[in-house]
Amino acid sequence: MKLVWHPEKASAAYIDTVRSCGGLNRESSAAEMISAMAGGWNAKLIVEACFSGGATTKSVGLAIAARHSGGRHVCIVKDEKSKLDYVTAMEEYSGVSLPEVLVGEAAEVIETLAGVDFLVVDARCKYYTRVFRVAKLSHRGAVLVCKNATQLGIINRTQWGKVLDNTVRVVRSVILPVGNGLDIAYVSCNGGELDGQHSGRHWWISHVDRRSGEEHLFRR
């Protein structure tokens, strides 16, 4: 099996995230984009590695995406205080399910999870590139998201090949000017391919920048 794009789930996750997070802060636009991608790819194991314990709108978006895909949502935080802060913050959002919260260094905890097909890592995390490298990705392929990428300027689309294990192949990558920058890679594992990789079929995601009012179309 391969990762297959489900436009109806992408739209549903996007709309529900808008309803839950819309207008709360500048992060909400990135949350909507990430939620649409996780829902659209019908992700079954969504993992996020957080820099701090406070839940962000991106966490809310991933929780909503997991609900639409019927997937498992896991958040990795660095210590018990961060876990408490995260849980308390997530509970402020009504109607959003609390993910599994695991404590420890993200690069170590991620190795205990197998079949990750949607991974979001904050570039401010310690050893964040190692988190991507050691993650046990799904044989169907995976979507990798580095948030705060543009702000820190550490990963760019020409470096994913250096970050990832040699069994993982980057099918395509893109940097989106959303939030503080999202660096996204679609990857196949052990020679597999994402659905539609060579079929000529493409899906479009529309994103409206809340500050400028500009609409951007992204083709996957």
Side-chain angles (χ1 to χ4, degrees):
M1 294 180 63
K2 306 171 185 177
L3 282 182
V4 178
W5 182 251
H6 298 261
E8 71 287 350
K9 292 187 178 181
S11 297
Y14 185 96
I15 292 169
D16 285 353
T17 304
V18 170
R19 290 171 177 167
S20 297
C21 305
L24 292 178
N25 56 49
R26 290 184 299 176
E27 273 199 337
S28 59
S29 59
E32 294 153 7
M33 178 64 69
I34 290 175
S35 179
M37 287 191 296
W41 282 113
N42 202 31
K44 297 306 179 184
L45 179 51
I46 300 171
V47 181
E48 58 175 322
C50 294
F51 173 69
S52 60
T56 68
T57 53
K58 296 183 185 70
S59 297
V60 176
L62 290 174
I64 291 171
R67 185 179 73 214
H68 283 284
S69 69
R72 177 186 176 193
H73 177 201
V74 177
C75 179
I76 303 172
V77 296
K78 61 183 179 180
D79 52 38
E80 291 296 335
K81 180 181 182 304
S82 296
K83 178 178 180 179
L84 178 60
D85 292 343
Y86 180 87
V87 171
T88 300
M90 284 293 285
E91 289 176 341
E92 295 180 1
Y93 295 90
S94 60
V96 176
S97 299
L98 185 69
E100 298 176 45
V101 185
L102 304 181
V103 177
E105 290 293 342
E108 297 176 0
V109 177
I110 193 70
E111 293 190 87
T112 68
L113 302 170
V116 178
D117 52 11
F118 200 91
L119 175 58
V120 181
V121 180
D122 193 322
R124 296 173 295 176
C125 285
K126 186 177 182 181
Y127 307 127
Y128 83 98
T129 56
R130 176 172 167 77
V131 180
F132 287 116
R133 184 178 302 112
V134 302
K136 298 175 181 177
L137 303 178
S138 169
H139 66 279
R140 301 189 306 148
V143 178
L144 311 178
V145 180
C146 178
K147 65 180 186 178
N148 292 311
T150 303
Q151 181 184 36
L152 297 179
I154 300 175
I155 279 186
N156 60 56
R157 64 190 307 166
T158 64
Q159 295 179 322
W160 277 108
K162 299 177 183 178
V163 170
L164 300 174
D165 182 87
N166 58 15
T167 62
V168 178
R169 184 167 63 88
V170 178
V171 176
R172 60 177 67 89
S173 63
V174 64
I175 298 176
L176 302 182
V178 181
N180 290 319
L182 298 178
D183 196 344
I184 305 167
Y186 299 83
V187 303
S188 64
C189 304
N190 299 317
E193 296 178 357
L194 299 181
D195 184 73
Q197 180 181 338
H198 298 298
S199 66
R201 292 177 299 159
H202 298 281
W203 298 105
W204 293 86
I205 295 176
S206 172
H207 173 263
V208 178
D209 189 307
R210 290 168 181 259
R211 283 172 285 182
S212 68
E214 295 180 343
E215 182 178 19
H216 305 279
L217 292 176
F218 303 103
R219 188 174 70 170
R220 86 109 182 109

